[in-house]
Amino acid sequence: MQSQNSLSRFIARSARAVTAAALSAGLTIGAAGNAHAQSVPIVRDAEIEALVRDYARPILKAAGLGNSGINIVLVNDPAFNAFVAGRRIFINTGALMTAETPNEIIGVLAHEAGHIAGGHQERLRDQLARAQTMAIVAGLLGAGAMVAGAATDTRGLGAAGAGIVAGGSEMARRGLLGYQRSEETTADRSALTYLNATGQSAQGMIKTFQRFQSALSLSGAKVDPYQVSHPMPRERIANLETLAHESPYFNKADPEALQQRHDMMRVKIAVYTQGQAEASRLMRKNPGSPAARYGDAQATYLFGDLRSALGKTDALVKAQPKNPYFHELRGDILMKSNKPAAAAEAYASAVRLDPAKSGILPIQLGQAYLAMGTPDALKKAVAEIRKGLDRDRENAAGYRYLAQAYGMQGDVADADLATADGHYYSGAYQDAKIFAMRAQQKLKPGSPGWVRAQDIINYKKPGKKK
Ligand SMILES: [Zn+2]
């Protein structure tokens, strides 16, 4: 079995990249390029996804978008950005790490929801449809996050966003993704409505916008892409402030439990993407807090001694036995310590305790069973990974582990089909078709697996001529 270094696990937990085709499920894009080369580096993490969904859920409901199946996608990029594409809200890890309170992110999400509800992206979509190349689209969507080969590369966390925005795509971004001022005003008003309806303050949104308006980049990047796409003239912020003060919730703070989860998320992103120094800087602000201790345990796991990391994590579990992500971290540490059976127990606790029912955790549990390798464990691996994939259908890495499990069981047909699915959800359609055809030769015609293989064989890239 292939081993992964710890840093890459953060992104390697499941799909590493949303491919051009996955994006175009929401955006109809005229001429697609090579899906392989243009991907937005996606971070998959059960804890962060659950938190951001918790932020977004009431807002989307207030916006009348509660049942429209809007997904939150985390982009591994240190710049501050959030944007909407189709049914997906993309938010950069840089934005999550910069925001000091949940309210700051909730405000940004409320504003983005305002753009969706206002249909503002329809105009953008028309413009995107006219865009000449997928490269432009990927460039403007990711705003520097377009890392060639991100689907196969583990440099993603460090390298993402490192000076990839060239002059041409900068122009494209300004031209294509920029909202009009009237749309900004509408989105601001809508955001205020949603925040009031959910009993939350607009202070976070204003704080974020003010920092942009003062022309200071939030992330240290030259210009944060959010600033480019959302024009922020002084009077816009002033108007927003006046209206926000009228709300009875203006001075309402985030619930303490939510703030704690937020702090834990910030430290986690810092540890995994910025390294020890940045994480320590964050932790020093609040030494001894649960977030600081969580960050310390993770940093010790990544950069220090595994036994010490396990001790620190055990202490966290003792303090908050129902926190699924502490058990998940225990599992990670035990996997790295080559103790897959103990890791499986830890991951099983994480799965059981996870209120968000993430697909990522069962897949991790499956990996632990896979590493155990006994016939009984392999059966459990297949069951858990399939459970994860039922919850998280586009998890490309999950299919690769599923293929391994089937392969070790000697089930070549299902291994080939899982491999085909893995390639399919990575956007490697040619490889997907090759494995789907191989699987079909061994599958019973008309069986569910055979039909799925046929779907992959029949798949045509959107916008492809012929
Ligand atoms: Zn806007």
Side-chain angles (χ1 to χ4, degrees):
M1 201 187 332
Q2 78 191 62
S3 72
Q4 296 169 340
N5 77 54
S6 309
L7 272 175
S8 74
R9 288 269 331 249
F10 188 61
I11 39 171
R13 278 191 174 137
S14 56
R16 287 202 187 100
V18 160
T19 60
L23 284 172
S24 64
L27 294 165
T28 312
I29 290 156
N34 174 3
H36 256 324
Q38 290 112 16
S39 349
V40 179
I42 297 304
V43 181
R44 297 300 312 274
D45 182 87
E47 180 176 23
I48 303 173
E49 289 177 6
L51 182 60
V52 178
R53 279 199 198 103
D54 284 349
Y55 290 168
R57 195 177 300 110
I59 293 292
L60 292 174
K61 201 174 161 209
L65 298 164
N67 295 318
S68 50
I70 295 203
N71 281 325
I72 309 281
V73 182
L74 307 175
V75 180
N76 176 33
D77 189 318
F80 195 106
N81 202 13
F83 57 93
V84 171
R87 294 193 172 284
R88 293 178 164 93
I89 297 178
F90 291 78
I91 187 154
N92 282 9
T93 50
L96 297 173
M97 206 184 88
T98 304
E100 288 173 356
T101 63
N103 190 248
E104 289 169 44
I105 294 300
I106 291 166
V108 168
L109 292 172
H111 179 89
E112 292 306 304
H115 281 308
I116 303 179
H120 303 162
Q121 57 165 341
E122 301 301 318
R123 178 181 62 83
L124 295 175
R125 186 159 52 199
D126 291 345
Q127 294 186 356
L128 287 170
R130 288 196 294 274
Q132 284 306 299
T133 66
M134 192 57 209
I136 295 173
V137 175
L140 63 91
L141 286 179
M146 188 184 71
V147 178
T152 52
D153 199 317
T154 55
R155 294 169 307 136
L157 283 166
I164 296 170
V165 181
S169 71
E170 173 69 25
M171 293 290 288
R173 256 181 32 223
R174 283 176 186 277
L176 287 170
L177 250 198
Y179 288 107
Q180 292 163 355
R181 288 189 181 198
S182 58
E183 290 173 337
E184 291 303 339
T185 308
T186 310
D188 285 342
R189 300 276 170 117
S190 304
L192 287 175
T193 309
Y194 309 150
L195 290 165
N196 274 336
T198 53
Q200 301 183 92
S201 171
Q203 273 197 53
M205 181 169 69
I206 292 170
K207 186 176 168 193
T208 301
F209 291 169
Q210 274 171 340
R211 284 189 296 191
F212 277 127
Q213 203 228 344
S214 66
L216 286 172
S217 163
L218 301 190
S219 62
K222 230 189 225 162
V223 180
D224 281 312
Y226 194 80
Q227 215 168 345
V228 176
S229 56
H230 300 254
M232 297 195 196
R234 204 166 289 276
E235 71 267 22
R236 175 186 158 202
I237 315 293
N239 287 341
L240 188 55
E241 262 196 289
T242 310
L243 289 168
H245 273 284
E246 291 168 9
S247 163
Y249 308 109
F250 186 74
N251 286 313
K252 196 171 165 197
D254 296 306
E256 208 175 307
L258 208 60
Q259 181 69 51
Q260 191 182 97
R261 288 173 68 194
H262 186 85
D263 294 343
M264 287 189 180
M265 168 186 72
R266 289 181 78 197
V267 166
K268 184 182 217 174
I269 294 172
V271 171
Y272 279 89
T273 71
Q274 310 287 302
Q276 233 169 338
E278 177 63 20
S280 304
R281 196 187 63 80
L282 265 182
M283 287 185 268
R284 265 199 301 276
K285 285 186 183 163
N286 219 339
S289 67
R293 292 197 293 134
Y294 188 35
D296 181 37
Q298 292 174 102
T300 309
Y301 155 61
L302 288 175
F303 311 112
D305 172 62
L306 289 174
R307 189 180 305 207
S308 164
L310 192 61
K312 289 172 180 178
T313 307
D314 284 341
L316 289 169
V317 170
K318 206 173 169 190
Q320 287 183 30
K322 290 193 174 165
N323 187 323
Y325 314 111
F326 292 168
H327 294 277
E328 182 193 18
L329 177 58
R330 277 196 88 235
D332 290 348
I333 295 167
L334 290 161
M335 279 296 274
K336 202 175 169 189
S337 315
N338 288 318
K339 292 176 179 161
E345 276 182 47
Y347 287 134
S349 299
V351 171
R352 185 167 41 80
L353 293 165
D354 175 25
K357 300 252 173 292
S358 168
I360 296 170
L361 297 173
I363 290 170
Q364 284 176 281
L365 174 54
Q367 281 174 258
Y369 286 131
L370 197 53
M372 288 167 72
T374 62
D376 186 48
L378 289 176
K379 248 186 243 170
K380 289 179 182 166
V382 167
E384 288 300 329
I385 296 169
R386 292 190 68 115
K387 176 164 130 188
L389 290 169
D390 277 346
R391 295 174 176 182
D392 191 358
R393 204 159 286 284
E394 297 179 7
N395 192 322
Y399 291 102
R400 288 197 288 274
Y401 298 121
L402 185 61
Q404 277 183 33
Y406 280 132
M408 287 166 77
Q409 287 182 324
D411 181 349
V412 182
D414 282 318
D416 282 345
L417 182 59
T419 303
D421 269 319
H423 285 307
Y424 176 82
Y425 288 114
S426 310
Y429 301 113
Q430 277 316 316
D431 294 336
K433 282 173 202 232
I434 290 165
F435 278 92
M437 285 189 247
R438 276 173 52 172
Q440 262 198 345
Q441 289 167 4
K442 292 158 240 151
L443 290 162
K444 193 171 155 244
S447 66
W450 188 93
V451 171
R452 171 62 191 149
Q454 191 61 44
D455 286 347
I456 293 173
I457 293 165
N458 290 342
Y459 176 77
K460 281 195 179 58
K461 251 199 257 181
K464 203 173 177 184
K465 286 178 203 122
K466 87 183 144 172

